[in-house]
Structures are given as C-alpha cells and as structure tokens.
Amino acid sequence: MKIDNSLPLEYSTEENSNKILGFWIFLGAEIMLFATLFSAYFTLMHGTGTGPTGAEIFEITPVLIETFLLLTSSFTIGLGIHAMRLGNKKAMMAFFSVTLLLGLGFLGFEIFEFVHYVHIGAGLQTSAFTAALLTTLGTHGAHVTFGLFWGLFIILQVKKRGLTPETANKSFIFSLYWHFLDVVWIFIFSFVYLKGMM
C-alpha cells in the first residue's frame, strides 16, 4: 500500500481516496431519500383532518435545544478531525466523545418530543400531516442513532489501533455522515418547525 505523506492521513492512499468518493456517492442517495421525505411532508402538511396542526403542537424551546446540541456536535467533530490531522489521538477521541454525547442529548430530546406528540393525540395514524411529520423526524432520528453506534466503534478502533491511514479514513467518512445529518436538521428546523409555527 503506497502512502502519500503530502496528503492528509485520510486521503493518503488511493484506496482511501476511493472510499471517500464512494461515500460522497452514498450521501447523494441519502439526499434523495430525505428529498423524498420532504416532498411527501410538503404535499401532506395541510392534510390535518380532525388532528392538530403544526402551529398547535410545535414548541420552539425544545427545538432550539435540539438544534443547539446538533450544531454544536458538528463543530466538535470538526475539531476532532483537526486533532486527527495534527496526530493528536487523545484530543481526537475526546472531541469525538463529546460529539456523541451531544448527539445522545439530541436524541433524548427527540424521543421526548415523539412521546409528547403521541400523548397529545398527534400519532402516526392521526392525519396525513402527523404521519409525514413523524416519518421524516423518525428517519432522521434513526440515522442519528446509527451514527452514535458508528461513532462509538470508530473511537474504540482508534483507541486500539491508533491513528493509521485506515482509522483516519473511517473517522473522516464518519464526520461527513455526521455533518450531513446536521444539514438535514437545518432543513427540518427551517422548513418543518419554523414554517409550521407560522
């Protein structure tokens, strides 16, 4: 395996570069998934029937907390990648751990939000609006949950094997995934919650 030391560790082999390119292509498919969910939501958002509307169930405080947690986690994973590129394994693992804790906090708020919606009569079967809403939020939440496990395995690998071209590549690809989830959340925050509160 030929290593190019002029490149960042995660790009230092041809295989690593190909894996990163492949993951960008995968993210293209993920974009299509969420675009489909958003399209369905925008089509069905006024189909409330006898159920509540977004303005009646959305609360700004928990949504702002969720947004703060997830956007902060995007910043900390960026710091983790920076530490990785500097060869600072301990700092990289610490920033990745903080990222996962913030993601766990986000997920906790989202689960609480789901329970609250169901409790006030806004479940999956209440209306087309609530079905589309909970499907969109649930799909994002499932991706975050997967990301928490993935990130944990990355930390354990780096702890065991150190910073190698392989572990750096896996860490960088995970950071792309995490940033992608943050971008999706910005769309949810802006076009689902804020628009729905009007």
Side-chain angles (χ1 to χ4, degrees):
M1 180 172 62
K2 186 179 178 183
I3 296 176
D4 185 347
N5 292 318
S6 68
L7 296 172
L9 196 56
E10 67 271 19
Y11 282 99
S12 60
T13 69
E14 186 178 354
E15 181 183 351
N16 279 8
S17 294
N18 289 338
K19 285 180 179 177
I20 292 169
L21 175 62
F23 194 75
W24 277 111
I25 294 169
F26 167 76
L27 285 182
E30 288 285 281
I31 289 169
M32 295 309 296
L33 167 66
F34 280 101
T36 302
L37 290 171
F38 281 124
S39 297
Y41 174 79
F42 294 137
T43 302
L44 301 172
M45 64 187 288
H46 297 296
T48 55
T50 57
T53 64
E56 292 171 329
I57 64 171
F58 293 155
E59 296 178 18
I60 191 65
T61 303
V63 176
L64 285 176
I65 294 171
E66 288 172 314
T67 303
F68 173 78
L69 289 171
L70 209 56
L71 293 186
T72 304
S73 76
S74 193
F75 177 67
T76 56
I77 199 152
L79 293 176
I81 294 299
H82 181 66
M84 178 189 80
R85 287 176 174 170
L86 294 176
N88 192 334
K89 172 183 164 182
K90 190 174 179 181
M92 181 261 190
M93 290 173 59
F95 283 124
F96 267 57
S97 298
V98 171
T99 298
L100 297 186
L101 287 173
L102 290 166
L104 190 62
F106 167 86
L107 198 60
F109 271 94
E110 192 163 61
I111 291 169
F112 174 80
E113 187 181 18
F114 263 63
V115 172
H116 173 68
Y117 288 159
V118 173
H119 180 71
I120 62 175
L124 270 172
Q125 298 179 349
T126 303
S127 67
F129 159 67
T130 57
L133 171 70
L134 295 179
T135 301
T136 303
L137 295 178
T139 302
H140 181 264
H143 277 70
V144 173
T145 303
F146 173 76
L148 293 176
F149 285 104
W150 185 7
L152 180 61
F153 289 131
I154 294 287
I155 291 170
L156 292 174
Q157 278 195 352
V158 170
K159 182 179 180 182
K160 182 179 179 182
R161 301 179 189 173
L163 292 175
T164 66
E166 184 184 9
T167 58
N169 184 249
K170 291 177 179 180
S171 301
F172 181 72
I173 287 173
F174 171 71
S175 76
L176 293 178
Y177 176 82
W178 198 262
H179 286 307
F180 169 74
L181 295 182
D182 294 336
V183 171
V184 171
W185 180 256
I186 290 170
F187 277 90
I188 291 174
F189 175 73
S190 303
F191 298 109
V192 173
Y193 287 111
L194 293 185
K195 192 170 185 294
M197 290 176 187
M198 296 177 180

